[in-house]
Amino acid sequence: MSKRSSLAFPPARFLLSALIVLALGGCQTTSLEDVTGALGGKSEPVSKADARSDMKPDMDALRERYRAKPSDPAIALEYGKALRASGQRAQAVAVLEQAVLAHPSNKALLAGYGRALADNGNFQQAFDVLGRAHSPEDPDWRILSAQGAALDQLGRNEEAQQYYASALKIVPDEPQVLSNLGLSYMLQNDLTRAEQVLGRAHQRNQNDVRIRANLALVLGLQGREAEAEILVKADLPPDQAAAKVAALRQLLTKKQQQRAEK
């Protein structure tokens, strides 16, 4: 990232962490996937207590299946995904790492392991592992987009944008990829281009809360807070809308404070 953009804009990790609060509120997970939609859609957020209560019987059964057949790649992958979904990120990495060591050419396992690494904050390793999960002859747009998201977390925005461009060649105007690309431009402080791209993403999927959060932040950063708040509050109960507006205002305030300190 250039000196200019780093002075004008908070670090990528700060902004992405803050976007989690804005986009997901009380959701149980706060992964890279949740923020940018890099790896596919998720259902509407639920509370931690409800999520863990609903998941416990499945987790217990999966744990027993995994213990009975730890070398089965399909079971390891399913168990790893469940651990990620329940917020047990380090354990998910450990389970999938062992599975990949036993099955180093299994691309589904490599993809799952890469996603778990990204969830756990191991972005460079995630990028490298995800690169082994597909090939130039058979590229996977979801993995290309996830690699871009990892690069954005590392502050390598221009490289990230090349990966999003490759993904968009496969799935033109895919909202998940457009959202990632818009966020990448935002991290470079190119707010005009970020708004254009995120606007396209929002037009194609107006129900995705992550896309709305990204677009709202871009609008707010341009001083258009009223528009941003309308977008954030769309289709939400009053209490949730108020919480998300408060999160947006807090994020914008932090950004202004950082700029003042510079």
Side-chain angles (χ1 to χ4, degrees):
M1 185 179 290
S2 70
K3 183 177 180 182
R4 177 180 176 274
S5 70
S6 65
L7 290 176
F9 216 78
R13 184 171 299 191
F14 164 78
L15 266 177
L16 292 174
S17 299
L19 276 168
I20 294 164
V21 178
L22 177 60
L24 299 177
C27 183
Q28 62 178 12
T29 61
T30 53
S31 69
L32 182 70
E33 168 182 350
D34 290 328
V35 181
T36 63
L39 304 175
K42 283 181 173 283
S43 58
E44 282 298 304
V46 295
S47 69
K48 288 184 179 181
D50 289 343
R52 288 174 182 169
S53 175
D54 291 344
M55 187 172 294
K56 194 174 187 308
D58 292 337
M59 284 296 296
D60 289 342
L62 275 172
R63 188 179 299 110
E64 291 305 314
R65 288 173 60 201
Y66 175 72
R67 287 175 177 172
K69 293 184 177 181
S71 61
D72 187 313
I75 293 176
L77 182 58
E78 188 177 359
Y79 185 40
K81 287 180 178 179
L83 289 168
R84 286 177 58 218
S86 66
Q88 299 177 67
R89 301 172 190 166
Q91 191 172 348
V93 168
V95 166
L96 292 167
E97 182 177 34
Q98 291 301 312
V100 165
L101 289 173
H103 306 276
S105 61
N106 187 310
K107 294 191 182 302
L109 277 178
L110 286 166
Y113 180 39
R115 290 162 178 161
L117 287 165
D119 282 354
N120 204 43
N122 306 105
F123 300 113
Q124 182 61 58
Q125 191 178 359
F127 173 79
D128 295 337
V129 169
L130 288 166
R132 295 162 50 200
H134 62 159
S135 65
E137 298 78 24
D138 186 23
D140 185 323
W141 69 267
R142 292 177 179 83
I143 294 176
L144 287 168
S145 190
Q147 287 180 281
L151 287 170
D152 271 326
Q153 284 277 18
L154 293 166
R156 294 157 60 181
N157 308 112
E158 291 183 3
E159 292 177 67
Q161 290 156 20
Q162 294 174 8
Y163 278 82
Y164 301 139
S166 296
L168 288 169
K169 289 179 181 178
I170 301 171
V171 284
D173 287 334
E174 165 56 47
Q176 293 173 22
V177 183
L178 288 173
S179 181
N180 288 350
L181 178 59
L183 181 59
S184 185
Y185 288 136
M186 183 175 65
L187 293 172
Q188 287 185 308
N189 209 23
D190 189 346
L191 300 181
T192 300
R193 188 180 292 184
E195 182 187 348
Q196 292 172 347
V197 174
L198 285 164
R200 286 167 56 198
H202 180 58
Q203 286 175 358
R204 285 157 180 76
N205 188 351
Q206 297 187 11
N207 297 319
D208 192 311
V209 294
R210 294 158 300 189
I211 295 174
R212 289 211 305 256
N214 291 351
L215 180 55
L217 181 57
V218 169
L219 293 172
L221 291 172
Q222 296 178 86
R224 295 152 61 187
E225 293 189 26
E227 293 177 65
E229 291 183 10
I230 290 171
L231 193 64
V232 166
K233 292 189 291 187
D235 304 322
L236 288 176
D239 56 340
Q240 292 184 31
K244 290 185 187 295
V245 168
L248 174 64
R249 289 175 176 170
Q250 183 179 23
L251 179 53
L252 293 172
T253 299
K254 286 183 178 179
K255 200 262 182 187
Q256 292 168 354
Q257 290 173 345
Q258 282 212 347
R259 292 185 68 177
E261 290 171 1
K262 296 296 183 180

